[in-house]
Every structure is written in structure tokens, then in C-alpha cells.
Amino acid sequence: MITGPSGDIAFVRFAVLGPVRVWRGDQELDPGSRQQRLVLALLLARAGEPVGLGEFVAMLWGERPPRSATNIVHLYLGRLRRMLEPGLRPRAPGRWLAGDASGYRLMAGVEQLDLLRFRVLVERGRSAGDPAEALASFAEALHLSRGPCAGAPELTSHPVADFEAVDNEYADLMREATGVALRAGAVRTVLPFLRRVASQRPLDEALQAKLLLALVADGQQAEATALYQGLRGRLADELGMDPGRELQEAYSVALQQGTPVDPPAPADGFFVRPAQLLPDLPHFTGRSETLHRVLTLIHGRAATTPVGIVAIEGIPGVGKTSLATHLAYRVADEFPDGQLYADLRGLDPQAAEAPGDVLQGFLHALGVRGQDIPGSDSARATLYRGVLAERRMLIVLDNVRDPDQVRPLLPGGPGSLVLVTSRYSLAGLATAPEGLVLTLDVLPNDEARQLLVSRVGAAPAETDRPALDEIVERAGGLPLALAVVAARAQTRPGYRLADVARELRDARGSLDGFGSDDPDSDLRAIFSWSYRGLSPAAARLFRLLAAHPGPDVTLAAAASLAGLPATGAREVFGELVHSRLVTERRPGRYGAHDLIAAYARELMLDVESGADRDAAADRVLAYYRRTAYAANLFINAEIDADPPAQHDGVADERPADARAAAAWFAAEREVLKAVMRQANDRGRVYEAWQLELMVQGFYQREGWWHEWATVVSECLAAAERAGDRAGVAEMLRSLAGARFYVGDSESALSLLDRALEVFTELGNVSREALTLRNLGEVSFAVGDYDRSVACHHRALAMAESLGDRTAQADVLCRLADAQYEIGRHALGFEILGRALAMSEQLGDDVRRSECHLRRAGLYLREHRFAESRADWAAAQELATAVGHRVHLVRAKVGLGDTAFEAGDRPVAEAAWREAAALGTGSDPAQEAAIRRRLARLDHGAGGATA
């Protein structure tokens, strides 16, 4: 119980054993958005221990946090503080949420947090002298849970160790409490909880065994038998395994209605200790984080969820076998009964090892005589599991094709460890509680340098650091590529790192610099093993991916590239992903390692004709033009781009609404730049500047001013070289917009004057009117209000003559500011009202947002704070609905300015911080202006504008 800031008595309680919940007194509070609830959940799961900012960032965004990640976390923490203590002054120390150099912690005690209460009850039960007393405490603790830790689906699916640890605590207690209940003859006390937890952990054999015994003790023999049969089928289907010893013993009890039976004796008479591991690399370096993670899990095998399968997957040449072998040597002493190794040759479907043949070899290695090995695969698997049942074996399965090759080779007992490697996806092995699947990435630069130094020696590396760095960059962190060039340097007397770097440079991005006489280390040969396993359609698509200019590709773009129908494209593209020649870098976006891409480019040039390559590039250009055109109709429909014609073999993809359109442009930003550049290089100048027209609205609403200027400058230069006057005029006007937004208004005016001249020569009245609008806007910015009014009036007359109501609304919106500046205040407000009404009639939410923003600014200048706040809020709501980031930032900054001028400093600070959190680094001037506003708060200065 605490006394709140206003003097009231407030009871605050938290729950994390189930959905994250918070109460103040009898009122349940809303913990906020999904990410904010995750922040609170992590604080609660730590139960008073500190959580660093980096841990929050890693939990929310993994390895790709946004630049503003720290600010966003601070925003969530601030909101939580205000939720828990609404009257708390800014920067005042809070009762519940405290922060220091070690991180942030939630200061809740046993009476406030169910997790702490749970732990007290568990300890009380364990220290009780009487089973009935212990069971009472355990039952009270079990009652506290309402589901898995952080039980909302979006939280339970979040891979955070702290959440899993809380779930495991509960499962540990469930097993312990069931044991006490069985001994006390009181299973009905725990049975309802046991059923629920067992349903949430269907492959936890120890827990299922407890449930089976509890059902037998409760007289529910038929249900116990059905439970075991269902578990056995599930284990066989999902893992290719039989139930383990503990579950089998529980079933024996069920069969004999409570009379325990001994497990079958192990086959000891013929066991030998095999040692089949491949030699470890003498200079293994890198992978320190991966090794630490796996070794920690393996060393914790006695924990609730031991690791019994470690599957390592990744692209060709990334070092899967090397890591598995090194890992095997690191843990071999923990498996005293020996090591088994098999190359399953999964890269070649025709030569892949059958599991039955591998079992025969393993049984021979384990000392089973040939005449004692059964003929059928299932009988061999049963014997194999029986031989290993009480043993601690280390088993390495290399070059696996799929989980079906692995499952018959898994030991039945819990004491062994299986290491698996594959180029293909092994996600099916992660379904078991003891399964861990690692996707191996290329080496980071520092570990790649270490690998080279370990091979060539420290002295050469120190004397030629630039060459070392160049080799690392050109190898793209691929261990096999680094090993090849290191071997070349070692085997040629007098061959320096600078010579290696020059060879790679002379290869001009091809694989010539990474060739080898040994087919097991030649990159072309290594990549070809995956390529040869593709169907003809997938092989063609792989080759044609080299014609795609961007850093990554979607399924729709890949289908267009190859002219594949949508119905068959997914299966064909899936082959490339399965083979690891292409990997999913982000959800729905795929790419190949630079050296694999170089291999595809070589194949394309060797196999595909020039006409086929050109046709593929034309299709992919048509795909991006058509999709950008459809998306831009939601973003900036008045841009006068020509509708792209239908193109055979091109996927038809259309965003459903403005938010989806903005998301498509954001995802394809880098690709669209590359597509325009490729089009200009291929002489497709018209298509390039048409595509730029479709992209500029996105640049404008997201604030990518400098990138916009770079892209349009390239298109302008190409149009000038081609003598495309229409393209020149469009790109002059577009470049003026980019220059204006980066603050170069004088250059913008010059470019617009040139564009207006060309549009007038071409007789393009609608583009004349648009250019006059732009001239009016820039003239206003430089203080030439008379010219601004004149240009806007001319533009308005042209828009009226064309019947273009969208243009009319836009001109009126901008004209209002100019009229206000020359002293016609009432007229300015009247014109804005007309613009807003017209925008509402048109259903143009972007224009409505602009009108509200401008009117809010005028109200602020007149100190009409209530009206100003209302317009900022309306603009914010509209900008959020259409996904217009620039308008949203302007609205939040404006809300802060109005609040500051009205003396409401906490609201001003909150609004400005929210605006800062929305920044992406695209507009440094705007971000600096927001920082200056926040600095004024710290120094107590007046005046909010900057």
C-alpha cells in the first residue's frame, strides 16, 4: 500500500503468471501497445532485477533495431511510469519504476507481484515437514497462474529467455507437486492444473508421465491408456522417436493398474566405444557467440529442457561442418561412450544415404555382429535405440537433406547429443523440446580477419592491413572463400596479401579469384552441388535473378523476372530457398550472398541469350512500374505519370490501401533506386523518369529529401543526354522539390523557372499549373509573398479551367498562408476553410491533413490555443490513418509548440519526444529543431518555435 501524489491511498498489483495485467486499487489498467506490454513483461519477469536498455532493444527488434530504438524504449518506460503514477512530476523519482546505471527495475514486493508470491509459496512448501502442508502451499502457488507466462499470444511467441524461465519454474513446480500428491494420495488437488500445463507442453515427456500416473491414481485407466497412445503417435510423427524411459515406465504402471515394472535391461554384451569424428581444424577461429550459446545449453543438459539435437543450417561454404566438428571436440569428453559420424550426402538426391544403411554402419561400429543386425529399417532403428538407451553418445550427421533422413538416427535415451548439418531447412527438428536449430550466417568482419590471420600469420597481416580488409570485404565473410585465398597465399612463395587482393580485384566480382584445384574447396564446384539439384524451372529462375538490380527480391518480383505464373512461382522459388542459394533476409524478402550472386551471373551469361536477359530486365522494370503506379494512386494521385501498359508475364500486385502502399514503397526503397539506375544504363530513360514520378510522393511524405535529390539528378542527367524534353522538365520540377526541402530555396526557384519554361514550350497546361504552385510555395518560403500570391492565383485559374478540383484545393491551401502574411488574416482563414471543405468533398485525407496543419499554425500565431490544438489533433489523426510520417511529425511538433506557448510544459515535452521518436534520420534539420525545443525545456527558456 502506498500513498499517491495526490494523497489518495493506491494499491498497485502486477501479474505475469499469465497475461500481463496491472491494477491500481480495484481498477485494472491498460498496459498499452504490444511492445509496451513486452517492456513491462520483461521488467516483471526479472522481479526487481535490473534490465538494461540494450536488453529491451534486443527483445523488441533483435539484430535490426531502428536508429530511434533507445528513444522509443524511453518513451515506453515514461508511459509506464505515468500509467503507474499519473500525478508524478517529470524527472521526479517514481515509487514503482526506478532507473540507474545498471538499468531499469520494477520495485514490486511479494504483495504486489504474483511471481514473487509464487516463489515464496514454493519455498514454503519445500520446507514443510508434512506432505499435506507442502501440498497446500504448492496448490496455492499453482492457483496463481492463469496460463503461460505473458500469456497473450504475441508475447508467448516472443523468444525471450526470461519469459521461458518463468514458464519453466511453473512446470518444475507442477512436476514436484504431482509427485507429492501421488505420495499423499491426493492427486485431485493438482489434476486440473496438471491437465492444463500438460496440454501446453505436449512433448514434455516427464510432465506427460506425471499426468499419466495421476490419471491412473485417480482411477481413469482408459484416459491414461489413450493419453499414452496419442503421445506415442505424436512422437513418432513429429520426431520419429519412441517414448522415453520415464514415459514407458509410467505406461507400464498404467497397464498393471499401479504395479510398477522394471524397464528392459540394456544390451551390454556387445558394446564398443567408436571414435569416428572428422579431424578438427587446427586454426578454428570465430563463431564465439554461437559456440558460447550452444555450449551453455549443452552443459545445462540436466535442466528442465535439455538440448539433445543441435541442427546447423546455412548457405554453401558458410562453415557448417567445420563448426559441428569443432563443437563435437569441445564436448566429446562429456560423452564417454564414444562418437559416431556419417556423411548423409544430402546434396545429391540420387546418392543420398538411406537411413537404414547408416543404421547398419552405426550398429557395426557399436559392436553388433552382422548376423545380429535385422533386415528391416524399423527393426534396425529399434535395436539402435536399445543399444544407446543407457549410453551417452555423441553423433554427428553431416550434409543432411531433410529431417526425415535424421529421425530414424536419433537415439531413444536422453543421455546422447546429435549434431546435424545441412544446406536445407531443418526447422522440423526444432519441434522437440530438446531440439535447437541454428542458421549460420557469414562471419562478421572482425572474425573474418581473425580467420585469415590464423591461416597466413600475424606478421603478413600486420604489414598489409588494407589488403587484409579488402580480401575480407570481397569474400563477404564466407569462411570457405577466406580459406581458399589463404591457402593460395600460403602455398606460393613470396605471394603477399596485396597480390591476393589484386587478383580478387582483377576478377571484377566473378569467382575467378576463388578457384581451387580441389573440387571440395572450389567455390564454383561447391555452389554447383546445390545448383545441380534444382528443377529446370528453378535453375532458370536462379540464373535470371542476376538480372535483378536490387539488393533483395520478393516472390512477385522474382515471378515477373522469369515470367512465371503466380500459381507456380511459389513452388519454383521455394526450391531456391530450400537449397540455400537464396535466403530470406527479412520476412518476404530474399537475397543471395554476393559470391553466390556472382555464380548466378556467370551462369546467366553462359546459358541465357542476350534477348532472354533483356526480356527478363524489361519484365522486372514493368513489374516495378505497374506496382509503383498502383501504390502511388494512394500516395500522390495527381502526379501525371502515364499508366504503364499491360506486360505479359508480369505479376499484378496492387496495394489495398494507403498504408499498404506506403509500406510497399518503404520495403522497396533500395530496389527502386537500383531499378531506375539500371533502366537509365539500358537506355530506358522514359521508363526511369516515369518511375521517379511515382516514387517522389513517397520520398516527400517520408522525408527522404537527400535520397530524392540523388535519384532525380541521375534521371535528369539521363533525360538530358537522351534529348527527352518532357523528362527534363519533369525532373527539373522534381529536383526543385528535393532541393527546397533540404533548405536550398534559391536553387529550387532556378530549377522551377527552367521547368516552367519547358512545360510552356510543350503546351502542357496541367504541369504549368503544378509548377506555378511550386513557385508560389518556394517564393513564400524566401519571403517573396507578392510573387507567391501571384503564382498561386495563376495556378488556381489554370486548375479551374482544367476542372481539376484536387489542384484547386491544394492551391487554396497554400494561398491562404501567403494572404495571411501580407496582412489579410481573415481572408487567409476563409481560404483555408474553402480548401478544407473541398478536400473533404474529394475524400482527400492527405490534403485535409495539410489544411489542418496550416490552420493550426495560424491559430497558434494568434494565441488561439484551443483551436490550434484541435487542428493539430485532427491533422495527427488523418496522418496516422494514411501513414504520412512527415505530416505526423509536423502535427506532434505543432501540438508541443501550442502546449508550450500555453504554459503546459509536460504536454509539450511528451509531444516533442513522440515527434523525435518518429524520426528516421532522413531529415537532420528537423531532428535538430526538435532537439532545440527539448533543450529549451531543460533550460527553462520561453518560446517554442525554431
Side-chain angles (χ1 to χ4, degrees), residues 368-712:
V368 181
R369 295 171 301 180
Q371 62 267 32
D372 294 328
I373 297 176
S376 74
D377 291 351
S378 60
R380 287 177 180 180
T382 301
L383 176 59
Y384 170 71
R385 287 194 292 272
V387 171
L388 297 185
E390 300 298 326
R391 307 293 178 178
R392 292 179 58 82
M393 293 290 299
L394 178 59
I395 304 158
V396 180
L397 305 176
D398 203 9
N399 292 318
V400 166
R401 184 160 191 86
D402 53 45
D404 288 341
Q405 251 191 326
V406 174
R407 291 187 179 107
L409 306 176
L410 298 176
S416 297
L417 174 67
V418 183
L419 303 178
V420 184
T421 76
S422 179
R423 293 188 185 185
Y424 307 114
S425 172
L426 296 173
L429 296 179
T431 56
E434 71 273 16
L436 172 67
V437 176
L438 298 173
T439 299
L440 211 57
D441 203 350
V442 296
L443 293 173
N445 285 346
D446 57 342
E447 292 191 356
R449 291 190 195 96
Q450 291 173 19
L451 189 154
L452 272 178
V453 170
S454 72
R455 299 293 185 95
V456 303
E462 277 300 316
T463 58
D464 205 347
R465 180 59 182 264
L468 181 75
D469 290 342
E470 183 178 356
I471 294 169
V472 167
E473 180 181 356
R474 293 185 180 277
L478 195 67
L480 181 58
L482 293 164
V484 168
V485 296
R488 189 178 305 154
Q490 288 177 293
T491 55
R492 298 187 189 180
Y495 201 70
R496 299 171 299 123
L497 287 179
D499 299 320
V500 177
R502 186 181 61 255
E503 271 193 3
L504 297 180
R505 201 179 311 127
D506 292 344
R508 300 181 182 278
S510 73
L511 296 182
D512 291 343
F514 298 99
S516 170
D517 294 334
D518 180 3
D520 288 336
S521 60
D522 179 78
L523 285 191
R524 284 192 183 90
I526 297 295
F527 297 158
S528 73
W529 296 341
S530 292
Y531 174 72
R532 290 199 304 265
L534 299 174
S535 67
R540 175 175 174 268
L541 176 56
F542 176 65
R543 297 190 298 269
L544 290 179
L545 283 176
H548 187 277
D552 51 24
V553 65
T554 63
L555 175 61
S560 300
L561 190 69
L564 291 170
T567 52
R570 184 174 299 278
E571 181 178 352
V572 174
F573 195 67
E575 281 192 61
L576 300 184
V577 176
H578 182 67
S579 72
R580 297 281 174 176
L581 291 171
V582 170
T583 57
E584 190 171 18
R585 294 175 173 175
R586 286 181 289 154
R589 305 198 67 82
Y590 303 84
H593 185 277
D594 287 348
L595 296 178
I596 296 178
Y599 177 62
R601 188 163 49 251
E602 291 181 0
L603 290 171
M604 181 183 72
L605 294 174
D606 287 345
V607 178
E608 305 294 331
S609 67
D612 287 341
R613 297 197 299 268
D614 285 341
D618 286 344
R619 283 191 299 270
V620 83
L621 175 58
Y623 163 74
Y624 286 107
R625 277 194 64 207
R626 287 179 57 79
T627 312
Y629 184 86
N632 190 54
L633 293 175
F634 293 106
I635 303 293
N636 194 18
E638 68 174 312
I639 287 296
D640 194 20
D642 296 335
Q646 180 68 42
H647 197 296
D648 290 341
V650 173
D652 188 16
E653 187 175 22
R654 298 173 182 272
D657 52 32
R659 186 172 292 278
W664 184 84
F665 275 120
E668 299 290 357
R669 226 183 83 224
E670 295 297 328
V671 175
L672 289 167
K673 284 194 298 184
V675 169
M676 284 182 269
R677 187 169 293 127
Q678 183 188 65
N680 282 322
D681 291 343
R682 295 177 60 236
R684 305 285 188 172
V685 174
Y686 165 77
E687 287 91 342
W689 68 255
Q690 281 281 314
L691 184 53
E692 193 283 331
L693 288 180
M694 301 169 201
V695 177
Q696 64 177 256
F698 169 74
Y699 283 144
Q700 189 168 346
R701 73 159 49 191
E702 290 296 307
W704 293 102
W705 320 128
H706 294 280
E707 186 171 308
W708 179 10
T710 299
V711 169
V712 75

Side-chain angles (χ1 to χ4, degrees), residues 754-767:
R754 289 172 58 195
L756 184 61
E757 182 180 344
V758 179
F759 281 131
T760 302
E761 290 175 5
L762 296 173
N764 191 331
V765 178
S766 66
R767 308 314 275 170

